[in-house]
Amino acid sequence: MIKFLDLQKINAQYADALKQAAAEVIDSGWYLLGERVKRFEKHLAEYIGIRHAIGVGNGLDALRLILKAYIELGVMQEGDEVIVPANTYIATILAITDNRLKPVLVEPDINTYNLDISLVEQHITERTRAIMVVHLYGQVCWSSELKRIAKKYRLKIIEDNAQAIGAEWEGRKTGALGDAAGFSFYPGKNLGALGDAGAVTTNNDQLAEVVRALANYGSRQKYVNEYRGLNSRLDEMQAAFLDVKLRFLDAENQRRREVAAYYCEHITNPDIILPIRNFTLSAVEGQQSAIRNLKSHVWHLFVIRHPKRNALQKYLTENGIQTLIHYPIPPHKQLAYKDWDEIIMPLTSQIHWQAVSLPISPIFTFEEIHKVVGFLNSFSS
Ligand SMILES: *Cc1c(COP(=O)(O)O)cnc(C)c1O
């Protein structure tokens, strides 16, 4: 069977280094708030090209903590609005509602699946304080228009960078584009820990300090609590693992790009809608643009659409190819948000019933990709 994502095989590549790292942490006798977290934070900040990286417990907490810090700093208050794409993973929305802020759902662009920036301005009210962009499936969601809007209305731009670590926009990495960003190192993400882990990045010294305190019971100094914080820390073990894997991230992302390019070139079934890269839409020319174009996506997921998605998925399963759906139910249709049942989001709904994610991973063999493409092309509905 071709697995959707074979984590055992991915991590087996680094087994020796990971075991060595684990042994060092065990022997050190120091498991939280130590040297390994500091070292990983430094390496992550250098990699992203930003002043501060703060290790936290997971990706959801990274986003929660950013918003909580803005509330502590008086930038936002309860009931303020945050603009967010309607088709994101539910964690983005949970981070907002958990802080008693109001998510304002905006439809995605059906071509890129990212927030439709041209719809943002009409959703801005007096209570809007931030735009939460999600680099969904690994593709940058950014434009000069977005920056212009944020500046005009004095909004913070917060990046949900859970899926796009390593992606770039005009030579700058996601996670360094907006005012603050949340990262997830959930095992299945492009940079995956061996358990839960996350990080916040920002160039804002004050914000970084408050996030760090909030993640540690609201305390900067032991037993002195300035804020009503959480306990959401990156631990030494995960930091040590992540430090090993960060070194291979660019190579892994490059391999994902190669798999994606092969899929795009060889899937010829006319009923299949392939993913569209945002920069290919604006007829770019020349070497510079081509490079930029390449780096705007790190292919966390390779999502296609098909009018008979369920039948296609069944056919692939029967032929030993595991696929997943990202995501079967949009946030506004979840029981957790039953008050929003009246909201109508046609494009979001369309994506949720047509999309299916193909296996994509840095260790995918040519034979495996070839087999997947063969079945996709032979499927007739
Ligand atoms: C994975 C993910 C999160 C949450 O990260 P966790 O580490 O699982 O808490 C948030 N947003 C998006 C878009 C994600 O894909």
Side-chain angles (χ1 to χ4, degrees), residues 58-60 63 88-89 91-92 134 160 162-163 184 186 189 197 327:
N58 55 67
L60 169 58
L63 299 171
T88 185
Y89 179 55
T92 326
V134 183
D160 178 341
Q163 300 190 358
S184 166
Y186 173 82
K189 298 286 159 77
Y327 298 92

Side-chain angles (χ1 to χ4, degrees), residues 24-43:
E24 283 170 19
V25 174
I26 293 166
D27 291 346
S28 75
W30 192 275
Y31 309 115
L32 283 165
L33 303 174
E35 288 308 312
R36 286 168 184 85
V37 170
K38 266 194 207 141
R39 193 191 314 155
F40 173 67
E41 287 177 341
K42 180 169 173 283
H43 290 160

Side-chain angles (χ1 to χ4, degrees), residues 207-368:
L207 186 75
E209 231 181 90
V210 178
V211 166
R212 195 177 284 288
L214 283 171
N216 189 33
Y217 306 112
S219 165
R220 292 172 209 251
Q221 190 190 334
K222 201 162 174 138
Y223 304 129
V224 180
N225 299 78
E226 218 168 310
Y227 313 107
R228 297 176 192 181
L230 320 172
N231 173 4
S232 182
R233 300 176 297 213
L234 175 64
D235 61 71
E236 290 283 289
M237 190 69 90
Q238 297 306 331
F241 293 148
L242 288 165
D243 217 27
V244 168
K245 292 185 71 181
L246 180 60
R247 285 184 264 142
F248 303 99
L249 178 64
D250 282 343
E252 291 210 339
N253 281 342
Q254 186 50 33
R255 184 65 194 134
R256 285 172 180 272
R257 291 188 182 109
E258 285 161 18
V259 177
Y262 188 90
Y263 273 149
C264 288
E265 214 172 302
H266 294 89
I267 298 171
T268 51
N269 186 329
D271 293 328
I272 291 176
I273 301 166
L274 290 167
I276 291 180
R277 311 281 305 279
N278 44 12
F279 296 112
T280 53
L281 294 173
S282 59
V284 286
E285 272 183 279
Q287 194 72 5
Q288 233 9 59
S289 307
I291 290 165
R292 181 174 77 192
N293 194 9
L294 271 176
K295 293 198 168 169
S296 67
H297 210 318
V298 291
W299 301 100
H300 173 58
L301 297 171
F302 191 96
V303 178
I304 59 169
R305 280 188 293 135
H306 191 286
K308 295 198 173 131
R309 189 268 314 274
N310 292 346
L312 173 63
Q313 188 178 35
K314 186 162 169 278
Y315 176 77
L316 293 172
T317 308
E318 285 165 0
N319 288 292
I321 296 160
Q322 191 187 18
T323 56
L324 291 179
I325 292 170
H326 296 93
Y327 298 92
I329 307 169
H332 72 284
K333 293 292 175 196
Q334 296 284 0
L335 201 53
Y337 294 112
K338 53 183 179 296
D339 316 359
W340 299 348
D341 204 43
E342 305 290 296
I343 298 176
I344 297 169
M345 294 276 159
L347 298 180
T348 297
S349 299
Q350 189 185 341
I351 294 166
H352 287 265
W353 66 261
Q354 287 187 331
V356 56
S357 306
L358 303 182
I360 186 164
S361 97
I363 47 149
F364 226 33
T365 64
F366 177 76
E367 287 70 32
E368 286 173 317

Side-chain angles (χ1 to χ4, degrees), residues 22 44-45 59 117 141 149 195 218 350 360:
L44 180 65
I117 292 166
C141 175
I149 294 168
Q350 189 185 341
I360 186 164

Side-chain angles (χ1 to χ4, degrees), residues 34-207:
E35 288 308 312
R36 286 168 184 85
V37 170
K38 266 194 207 141
R39 193 191 314 155
F40 173 67
E41 287 177 341
K42 180 169 173 283
H43 290 160
L44 180 65
E46 281 166 7
Y47 177 80
I48 298 298
I50 199 142
R51 230 169 21 243
H52 306 280
I54 301 125
V56 300
N58 55 67
L60 169 58
D61 281 358
L63 299 171
R64 281 169 78 197
L65 285 160
I66 292 167
L67 293 169
K68 204 169 165 60
Y70 275 131
I71 291 171
E72 292 294 353
L73 289 167
V75 174
M76 296 176 196
Q77 57 184 13
E78 203 173 299
D80 280 344
E81 297 171 5
V82 178
I83 288 173
V84 63
N87 62 321
T88 185
Y89 179 55
I90 199 161
T92 326
I93 315 265
L94 289 171
I96 300 169
T97 55
D98 187 67
N99 279 294
R100 298 174 188 274
L101 298 164
K102 187 177 169 233
V104 174
L105 305 181
V106 174
E107 285 261 68
D109 177 328
I110 192 72
N111 290 310
T112 64
Y113 309 121
N114 271 332
L115 176 69
D116 186 340
I117 292 166
S118 71
L119 300 177
V120 167
E121 204 158 2
Q122 69 197 61
H123 287 90
I124 293 171
T125 72
E126 283 177 3
R127 295 302 300 267
T128 311
R129 294 291 174 271
I131 304 167
M132 187 95 98
V133 295
V134 183
H135 307 298
L136 201 66
Y137 306 153
Q139 171 154 242
V140 179
C141 175
W142 201 259
S143 72
S144 44
E145 172 67 2
L146 180 72
K147 288 241 16 160
R148 186 194 67 79
I149 294 168
K151 198 166 168 201
K152 179 169 168 194
Y153 297 95
R154 296 163 178 239
L155 308 178
K156 300 293 178 195
I157 305 180
I158 301 164
E159 297 170 76
D160 178 341
N161 198 28
Q163 300 190 358
I165 186 166
E168 290 183 11
W169 185 81
E170 297 194 339
R172 282 166 61 211
K173 289 215 162 64
T174 56
L177 299 171
D179 294 284
F183 291 66
S184 166
F185 307 119
Y186 173 82
K189 298 286 159 77
N190 286 32
L191 178 60
L194 309 188
D196 275 317
V200 170
T201 57
T202 182
N203 275 323
N204 181 326
D205 301 343
Q206 208 183 9
L207 186 75

